[in-house]
């Protein structure tokens, strides 16, 4: 099965597997940039959702999303450096959190699922036996809470760029405008979901950090 086919086959399953919505300001800002860009390009009597309208070219997406990560000569998106920096910062935060949990005598064996609420609060999954203590930990340590928001936002931004890069790769291989439109419908929806349903969500345990948005892309063979 090709990457494209695998993405299509698992898209519905992956989209329905996670329902808790957590908002993340940088990720929402990225989605807003897409919405504004699409609104400019579409006729006034059409919808402005990411799943309808037109299929932007790689050059058009470069202006609104990729920036210097886009190579116009090869028409590819290079995210190696950003991915490496994001992984490093995520690991550093995981170590910092583990140290704080240990100091507070909080058991790290059950995985701790975190997300960022609409108001910026760090939300701890209520099924964790020490959820209340972990919540207090973030409420009492604003620097730790901000560090989490930062690392979650960086991971979500990377995921959006990775989805966009996958779109560009398939766009380059498409033969017709109709095919490109179908590709955009799929990836436009994916990027929209990454910036809402899956944003700001990470799980921490003895093995380190698991990033929700990255997990989604891995299941689709996009990361």
């Amino acid at each position: 099965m090709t990457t494209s086919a695998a993405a299509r086959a698992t898209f519905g399953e992956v989209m329905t597997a996670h329902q808790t919505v957590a908002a993340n300001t940088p990720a929402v800002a990225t989605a807003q940039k897409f919405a504004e860009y699409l609104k400019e390009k579409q006729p006034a009597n059409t919808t402005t959702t990411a799943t309808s309208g037109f299929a932007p070219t790689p050059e058009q997406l470069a202006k609104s999303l990729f920036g210097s990560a886009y190579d116009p000569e090869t028409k590819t998106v290079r995210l190696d450096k950003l991915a490496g920096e994001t992984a490093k910062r995520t690991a550093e935060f995981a170590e910092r959190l583990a140290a704080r949990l240990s100091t507070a005598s909080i058991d790290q064996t059950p995985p701790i699922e975190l997300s960022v609420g609409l108001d910026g609060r760090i939300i701890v999954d209520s099924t964790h036996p020490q959820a209340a203590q972990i919540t207090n930990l973030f409420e009492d340590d604003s620097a730790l809470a901000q560090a989490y928001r930062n690392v979650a936002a960086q991971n979500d931004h990377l995921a959006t760029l990775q989805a966009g890069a996958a779109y560009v790769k398939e766009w380059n291989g498409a033969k017709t405008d109709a095919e490109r439109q179908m590709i955009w419908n799929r990836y436009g929806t994916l990027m929209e979901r990454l910036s809402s349903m899956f944003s700001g969500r990470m799980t921490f345990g003895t093995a380190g950090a698991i990033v929700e948005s990255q997990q989604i892309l891995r299941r689709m063979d996009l990361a």
Side-chain angles (χ1 to χ4, degrees):
M1 182 180 292
T2 64
T3 298
S4 176
R8 286 195 297 271
T10 60
F11 186 82
E13 178 183 347
V14 171
M15 288 297 109
T16 57
H18 304 78
Q19 296 302 320
T20 303
V21 177
N24 180 293
T25 300
V28 170
T30 298
Q32 184 61 32
K33 288 179 67 177
F34 272 113
E36 292 173 353
Y37 178 66
L38 292 172
K39 187 174 182 179
E40 288 179 2
K41 296 296 182 180
Q42 292 172 331
N45 63 345
T46 64
T47 61
T48 58
T49 62
T51 56
S52 64
F54 77 110
T57 66
E59 288 75 18
Q60 288 170 330
L61 271 191
K63 293 179 181 179
S64 64
L65 180 65
F66 299 131
S68 60
Y70 179 69
D71 184 344
E73 293 186 3
T74 62
K75 293 184 180 298
T76 59
V77 184
R78 297 298 304 272
L79 299 175
D80 296 354
K81 183 177 180 180
L82 178 60
E85 292 175 350
T86 301
K88 180 175 180 294
R89 293 187 181 183
T90 301
E92 290 173 347
F93 177 80
E95 291 181 2
R96 177 178 177 180
L97 177 61
R100 292 289 286 110
L101 293 171
S102 178
T103 299
S105 299
I106 295 175
D107 187 6
Q108 300 176 53
T109 302
I112 300 170
E113 298 181 16
L114 304 176
S115 61
V116 182
L118 289 170
D119 57 0
R121 284 186 308 114
I122 308 304
I123 301 172
V124 183
D125 183 73
S126 60
T127 61
H128 193 282
Q130 293 178 283
Q133 291 174 260
I134 301 170
T135 296
N136 291 336
L137 188 69
F138 282 104
E139 290 179 348
D140 295 339
D141 191 338
S142 60
L144 183 68
Q146 187 58 48
Y148 177 72
R149 285 190 286 267
N150 290 344
V151 75
Q154 187 167 355
N155 275 286
D156 290 340
H157 182 56
L158 173 62
T160 300
L161 292 178
Q162 289 170 321
Y167 164 74
V168 168
K169 183 177 180 179
E170 289 200 35
W171 190 97
N172 287 332
K175 303 300 182 183
T176 67
D177 288 341
E179 186 179 355
R180 294 187 182 98
Q181 184 62 55
M182 291 177 63
I183 293 169
W184 172 244
N185 288 348
R186 188 168 69 257
Y187 281 101
T189 297
L190 175 58
M191 287 187 279
E192 190 175 47
R193 295 295 181 86
L194 286 172
S195 66
S196 57
M197 187 177 292
F198 308 125
S199 69
R201 298 179 61 178
M202 298 176 67
T203 300
F204 297 87
T206 55
I210 297 175
V211 183
E212 185 77 0
S213 55
Q214 288 292 310
Q215 286 290 93
I216 295 298
L217 295 186
R218 289 192 185 97
R219 291 172 189 172
M220 295 180 172
D221 293 327
L222 301 180

